[in-house]
Every structure is written in structure tokens, then in C-alpha cells.
């Protein structure tokens, strides 16, 4: 056969094929040593993680041959591409911890930037699978300072915020500047025992500030989900984290102007009854029982359950439609609002408002915490942040006064002054500047002391009881309804149906708030 015979192969093409096949195979599976390390850490390989997320056969990868000319850097340590999750198209960005601990090089950053640009162009949700030791110092000039450097990733994440869902599973470390990637996402799921976030490692902290601290204490998953509030959900392993990410995705729309997914409606796991809510406001109870009586069976998806648990936030479904729940929990710290609970509420309200998810507030709140410690911690500033979020939200909002709603707590829980679609009260509800006991003591302290000094303890108690009776008459629930402070009073067993009717009617309400470039919220 002559050289011109088409059946004769070109050795240069054969060489290219061989090298590409080798480069492709290098990122197809971990080395034996890397696989053993993953197994010892109870971690999945990056491609196995993606396979659990996306529909079978749907993933299309970009940039698989990134840095193929450099030995030991298959795909440059990150897998990017697109696929479908339950039939819905998404972008996936997943670090490969078997490649230099998932660290970033110049092409790693370029792949991530391109993936976020695709998400912006097509308004596609982004799943971030983070497991990275941070930037490679050897590549810093190429990947750190320029217009398409690592900073562009954060810029694009901020541009994506509120436009499309961003969901992060943190399987391992997220170090230094890379720690900001999870913090810019809508939901951060952290795997206990493996996930960590920190701007400086424990070794760096010891060198720079002289602090000796363990990785778990400074940036571990449980710490971030309970103390700092950066983490939203604590998962036991990779599989649970991915399953939770997919479940969360079922509650949110494809992007900011797409409809929220609908499902077949179900009855609550246990209907509300008059016994569900204790009539004495001083008796604590778990508000999860009320939530479960309102939402479809087993549909409540709680967010930040381990952080500031005096306030409960999360998604539920009512007759198959997603709603956001913000509820005071008197079983924890009496349901008082603290700085952390205000932050938790504000971010969740912004999330619901971004994706057109109606909000239901379940108020049983004595107000914001008082005292020098919380004042020094900025309780006014944090409380203003929550009130700002409630005020500016344009989705349908319903305030349900379950029991007490005192002081600025009424405002923070979407009370009448903030234009909710309706303020609904149970017969156990009380609305006032403060509770009767505190009010009487505040107004009549000097007189109470005079009566006690002149007539004794029995006369004092009688005087206090009379003043308390007058105060309670002044804020009587029937009077509040008669004065149109309250739009409706219903028994617990009728609350779900009342809300369902009102949610349907409010579904197409006007979404305008104010004409301006933007507000300047407290931070």
C-alpha cells in the first residue's frame, strides 16, 4: 500500500490519539493510592459524586484536557460541565481532591470562570462540589490577580446571586480565599468530620496571632453549622449531602423568573387542634408541631436547624406548593430574637423573595433580647436587618399570631404595619408593646412601691392585679380585630385551609416595593 492509501494511518495522528487517550484515562478514576486515601476518609471520587447528582447519561463535560501537558494534573483538578437533575438543566463545578488536594491552578480558575459565565448567560442553577486546599502558590501570578483570575469567580457568584439557585456541598476543605465560594451560595451543606472552612489554617493562626487551635474548633463543619452560622445543614457523608442538595433543589425554581416546581398535594402528618398550642403564653412548646400541622406530610425542609434554634426557618409545601416558614420557637430561649436569629431570618427572607416563594410567619415572640451583652453585639443593627428584609420583600406574606407578639418582635415577624397580605390570629394570640407583667411594672413601679409601703404586700398584689386586668382589656384580641389590626381570627384546625385560600388569591399580587436604585440595609 502506498502512502496515499487512505487505509494507511498517519503516525502523528496515532500519537495524538494515544496521548489524548492517556490524558482522558488519567482523570477517569483515581490512582490506587488516591482511592485508598478517599476510602480512609469516607469520601467518594469526584466523578462518583457527580453521578449521584445528575440524571444518568446527562452530564457533558468541558475542559477535560485542561493542563494535559503537565504531569499529575488531570483536568487541572476540577470537573466542570452541565447535566440535568430530575430533568432540570444545571451547571456542575466539582473539585477533584485527588489532584494536588483539589488546589487551584490557572486553568482550574479559567474552567470555573467559564462555567459561571455559562450559568449567567443561560440562567442555569449551579451545583458547587467543593473539596479544595486553595490556590497553588506556584501559579499565583497566572491565577490570582488578573481580570480572569480567581476574583472573577466571586464576582460572577455575586452576579448569579438571586438570579439562579447556587447550592454547595462542602466535602472537604475550603481554604483561604476559596472559603468565600461556599459563603456566596444560597445553601451550604457540610459533611461532618471532613468539611472545613477557614481563611487561615491552624498552623498559620499559631504563626501569625499565636493562637493554638484545632482545625475542627476553628473551621470544622459542626462549628460552622452551630456557632458561626456559615453552614446551613450538617450531613453525615457525601451521599447524604448530595441527596439533601437534590431535595433542596426541588423547592426552588430554575431561575428568578421561572415558576417554582409544583407537586401533588398531601394532608399534614398530624392536623392542628386546639391542643396543639398551649393557651398559657408562659408555657413553652415546640413550634415544629404547628409547622407539621400546616404543611404537607413530611415536606418541611429546615435550614440552619442547629444555628439560632430559637427561630425556625425552612421550606414546606402546602397543597403541593412551596412556601417559606419563619417561626419563633418558645421551646428554645423562650423564642426571644437574638442577633443570630435576626441574621438567620433576614437571609432566609431574602432567599424567598428572590425566588418568588410566599412567606408565612408564625409569631410567638416576646421581642428582641435586651441587656448590655446583646447591645454591645449590635442587636439593634441586626434586628434592623431583619425588619428591613420583611419590609422590602414583595412576595405574598402572611403573619399568623400564634400566641404573643410583643414589641418589635411583632414588626420582625411581618406584623400589620408591614403590609402583609393578611394578619391572622389564633384565639391564643396577644399583641402589645410588652407583656402585661412587664408593662405594669414599667408604668406603675413607683406607685406599686408606695402601695406596698403604706398598705402591705396584699394591697400591692391587689393593685398590680387590677392594673394588669386593665392592660389586658386594652389589648384584647376582639378589640384588635374590631379595630382592623387583625384581619381574621381562626381556630388552629381551620388555619391551614385559611392560609391555602389566601395563598391562592395572593399568587399574582404586584411585586413592586419602591422606585430607587437600591436600599442601604443594616449590616
Amino acid at each position: 500500500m502506498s502512502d496515499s492509501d487512505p487505509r494507511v494511518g498517519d503516525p502523528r495522528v496515532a500519537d495524538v490519539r494515544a496521548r489524548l487517550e492517556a490524558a482522558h484515562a488519567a482523570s477517569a478514576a483515581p490512582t490506587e493510592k488516591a482511592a485508598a486515601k478517599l476510602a480512609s476518609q469516607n469520601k467518594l471520587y469526584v466523578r462518583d459524586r457527580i453521578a449521584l447528582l445528575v440524571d444518568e447519561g446527562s452530564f457533558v463535560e468541558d475542559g477535560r484536557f485542561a493542563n494535559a501537558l503537565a504531569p499529575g494534573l488531570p483536568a487541572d483538578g476540577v470537573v466542570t460541565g452541565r447535566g440535568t437533575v430530575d430533568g432540570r438543566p444545571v451547571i456542575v463545578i466539582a473539585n477533584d481532591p485527588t489532584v494536588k488536594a483539589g488546589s487551584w491552578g490557572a486553568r482550574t480558575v479559567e474552567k470555573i470562570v467559564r462555567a459561571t459565565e455559562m450559568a449567567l448567560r443561560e440562567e442555569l442553577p449551579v451545583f458547587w462540589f467543593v473539596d479544595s486546599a486553595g490556590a497553588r502558590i506556584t501559579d499565583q501570578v497566572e491565577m490570582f490577580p488578573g481580570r480572569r483570575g480567581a476574583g472573577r469567580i466571586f464576582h460572577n457568584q455575586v452576579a448569579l446571586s438571586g438570579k439562579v439557585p447556587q447550592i454547595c456541598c462542602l466535602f472537604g476543605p475550603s481554604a483561604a480565599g476559596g472559603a468565600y465560594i461556599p459563603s456566596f451560595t444560597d445553601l451550604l451543606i457540610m459533611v461532618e468530620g471532613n468539611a472545613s472552612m477557614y481563611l487561615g489554617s491552624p498552623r498559620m493562626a499559631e504563626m501569625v496571632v499565636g493562637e493554638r487551635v484545632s482545625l475542627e474548633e476553628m473551621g470544622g463543619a459542626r462549628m460552622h453549622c452551630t456557632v458561626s452560622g456559615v453552614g446551613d445543614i450538617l450531613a453525615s457523608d457525601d451521599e447524604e449531602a448530595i441527596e439533601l442538595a437534590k431535595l433542596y433543589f426541588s423547592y426552588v425554581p430554575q431561575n428568578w423568573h421561572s415558576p417554582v416546581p409544583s407537586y401533588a398535594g398531601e394532608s399534614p402528618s398530624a392536623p392542628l387542634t386546639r391542643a396543639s398550642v398551649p393557651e398559657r403564653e408562659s408555657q413553652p412548646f415546640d413550634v415544629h408541631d404547628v409547622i407539621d400541622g400546616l404543611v404537607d406530610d413530611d415536606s418541611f425542609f429546615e435550614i440552619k436547624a442547629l444555628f439560632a434554634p430559637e427561630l425556625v426557618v425552612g421550606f414546606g409545601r402546602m397543597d403541593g406548593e412551596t412556601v417559606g416558614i419563619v417561626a419563633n420557637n418558645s421551646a428554645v430561649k423562650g423564642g426571644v430574637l437574638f442577633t443570630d436569629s435576626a441574621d438567620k431570618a433576614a437571609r432566609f427572607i431574602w432567599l424567598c423573595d428572590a425566588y418568588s416563594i410566599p412567606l408565612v410567619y408564625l409569631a410567638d415572640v416576646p421581642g428582641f433580647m435586651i441587656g448590655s451583652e446583646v447591645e454591645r453585639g449590635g442587636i439593634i443593627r441586626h434586628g434592623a436587618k431583619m425588619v428591613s428584609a420583611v419590609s422590602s420583600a414583595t412576595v405574598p406574606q402572611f403573619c399568623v399570631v400564634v400566641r404573643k407578639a410583643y414589641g418589635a418582635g411583632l414588626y420582625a415577624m411581618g406584623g400589620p404595619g408591614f403590609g402583609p397580605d393578611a394578619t391572622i390570629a389564633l384565639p391564643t394570640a396577644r399583641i402589645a408593646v410588652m407583656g402585661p407583667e412587664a408593662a405594669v411594672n414599667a408604668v406603675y413601679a413607683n406607685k406599686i412601691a408606695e402601695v406596698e409601703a403604706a398598705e402591705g404586700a396584699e394591697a400591692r398584689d391587689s393593685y398590680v392585679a387590677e392594673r394588669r386586668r386593665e392592660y389586658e382589656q386594652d389589648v384584647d384580641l376582639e378589640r384588635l380585630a374590631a379595630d382592623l389590626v387583625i384581619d381574621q381570627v381562626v381556630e388552629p384546625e381551620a388555619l391551614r385551609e385559611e392560609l391555602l385560600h389566601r395563598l391562592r388569591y395572593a399568587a399574582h399580587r404586584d411585586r413592586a416595593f419602591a422606585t430607587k436604585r437600591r436600599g442601604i440595609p443594616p449590616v
Side-chain angles (χ1 to χ4, degrees):
M1 291 184 289
S2 69
D3 288 347
S4 61
D5 192 320
R7 292 172 295 177
V8 176
D10 186 331
R12 292 172 300 180
V13 175
D15 176 60
V16 169
R17 282 199 174 109
R19 285 186 284 115
L20 288 175
E21 286 172 4
H24 190 279
S27 68
T31 64
E32 188 175 330
K33 181 180 178 181
K37 183 177 181 180
L38 289 175
S40 70
Q41 296 173 321
N42 193 30
K43 286 185 175 183
L44 297 174
Y45 183 51
V46 61
R47 297 190 181 280
D48 296 329
R49 289 169 175 169
I50 294 172
L52 282 178
L53 173 71
V54 300
D55 302 334
E56 187 174 357
S58 70
F59 188 65
V60 177
E61 186 172 349
D62 294 317
R64 182 157 184 167
F65 296 103
N67 234 353
L69 299 179
L73 291 171
D76 211 33
V78 68
V79 179
T80 60
R82 57 194 298 170
T84 61
V85 174
D86 294 331
R88 301 165 66 189
V90 303
I91 298 291
V92 181
I93 300 169
N95 298 122
D96 182 352
T98 69
V99 178
K100 292 193 179 296
S103 59
W104 293 3
R107 290 167 184 83
T108 318
V109 170
E110 178 63 21
K111 287 174 68 173
I112 297 173
V113 168
R114 290 186 186 189
T116 55
E117 287 173 342
M118 188 185 303
L120 281 166
R121 270 195 316 271
E122 301 183 40
E123 297 193 339
L124 294 175
V126 183
F127 282 83
W128 297 85
F129 283 4
V130 178
D131 194 343
S132 170
R136 297 177 206 146
I137 300 300
T138 54
D139 283 22
Q140 64 173 318
V141 175
E142 292 79 13
M143 56 75 63
F144 173 67
R147 286 180 175 269
R148 293 189 71 80
R152 195 67 188 177
I153 299 172
F154 308 145
H155 175 278
N156 288 352
Q157 278 193 279
V158 174
L160 287 165
S161 178
K163 182 183 286 286
V164 300
Q166 296 187 79
I167 302 166
C168 179
C169 292
L170 185 53
F171 299 112
S174 182
Y180 284 106
I181 280 184
S183 69
F184 285 127
T185 62
D186 303 341
L187 185 81
L188 172 55
I189 302 166
M190 302 183 73
V191 177
E192 187 163 22
N194 281 335
S196 60
M197 297 174 67
Y198 49 86
L199 298 183
S201 67
R203 184 173 60 180
M204 186 179 292
E206 185 175 357
M207 290 173 58
V208 176
V209 299
E211 180 187 18
R212 290 193 172 188
V213 63
S214 71
L215 175 61
E216 186 61 34
E217 290 171 328
M218 187 171 71
R222 182 163 287 275
M223 187 285 289
H224 278 306
C225 288
T226 59
V227 180
S228 77
V230 176
D232 293 304
I233 299 176
L234 197 63
S236 59
D237 55 27
D238 289 11
E239 291 93 335
E240 185 186 23
I242 295 167
E243 192 59 38
L244 286 166
K246 293 173 71 173
L247 181 57
Y248 171 88
F249 189 48
S250 73
Y251 287 89
V252 295
Q254 188 75 3
N255 50 50
W256 68 281
H257 53 75
S258 295
V260 180
S262 296
Y263 298 85
E266 297 183 33
S267 299
S269 56
L272 286 179
T273 68
R274 298 184 188 191
S276 301
V277 180
E279 294 185 0
R280 291 176 53 240
E281 68 175 54
S282 60
Q283 181 180 341
F285 78 105
D286 191 345
V287 77
H288 288 91
D289 295 336
V290 175
I291 295 171
D292 289 343
L294 290 177
V295 302
D296 297 359
D297 184 24
D298 197 30
S299 72
F300 187 57
F301 186 95
E302 188 167 358
I303 297 172
K304 293 189 187 296
L306 302 178
F307 178 70
E310 65 274 8
L311 188 82
V312 176
V313 302
F315 295 131
R317 292 194 178 98
M318 296 185 66
D319 197 26
E321 305 295 333
T322 301
V323 296
I325 305 286
V326 179
N328 308 116
N329 192 8
S330 63
V332 181
K333 299 179 182 178
V336 176
L337 291 167
F338 289 78
T339 55
D340 284 345
S341 38
D343 281 356
K344 174 178 174 177
R347 193 164 195 274
F348 181 71
I349 293 164
W350 288 326
L351 175 69
C352 290
D353 197 42
Y355 299 129
S356 300
I357 296 171
L359 282 155
V360 175
Y361 300 89
L362 301 177
D364 183 12
V365 57
F368 284 88
M369 188 60 184
I370 60 172
S372 62
E373 183 178 350
V374 292
E375 294 293 357
R376 290 166 66 90
I379 187 72
I380 296 172
R381 175 166 52 86
H382 291 274
K385 192 186 308 181
M386 181 177 177
V387 171
S388 174
V390 172
S391 301
S392 59
T394 59
V395 291
Q397 297 187 84
F398 298 91
C399 174
V400 178
V401 185
V402 177
R403 293 198 304 184
K404 55 194 173 295
Y406 293 154
L410 172 67
Y411 298 162
M413 295 300 290
F418 293 82
D421 290 74
T423 302
I424 303 167
L426 301 184
T428 47
R430 288 185 175 186
I431 295 176
V433 171
M434 61 183 72
E437 185 175 346
V440 169
N441 287 330
V443 176
Y444 299 104
N446 293 336
K447 183 64 177 178
I448 291 169
E450 289 176 13
V451 170
E452 183 176 18
E455 303 178 44
E458 187 174 336
R460 176 205 62 199
D461 292 344
S462 176
Y463 179 82
V464 167
E466 180 61 22
R467 301 290 81 74
R468 178 170 180 150
R469 185 186 64 78
E470 291 172 354
Y471 184 85
E472 289 175 343
Q473 283 181 339
D474 193 46
V475 294
D476 177 69
L477 183 60
E478 185 179 14
R479 175 182 174 177
L480 293 175
D483 289 345
L484 300 182
V485 174
I486 300 295
D487 296 301
Q488 182 62 284
V489 181
V490 300
E491 293 290 351
E493 52 267 31
L495 180 59
R496 173 178 155 97
E497 201 60 35
E498 179 78 18
L499 284 170
L500 281 173
H501 280 306
R502 292 180 179 273
L503 282 162
R504 293 185 191 109
Y505 294 144
H508 304 291
R509 63 166 289 177
D510 176 42
R511 292 294 306 274
F513 172 59
T515 303
K516 55 186 176 182
R517 287 190 176 87
R518 59 163 299 137
I520 307 170
V523 295

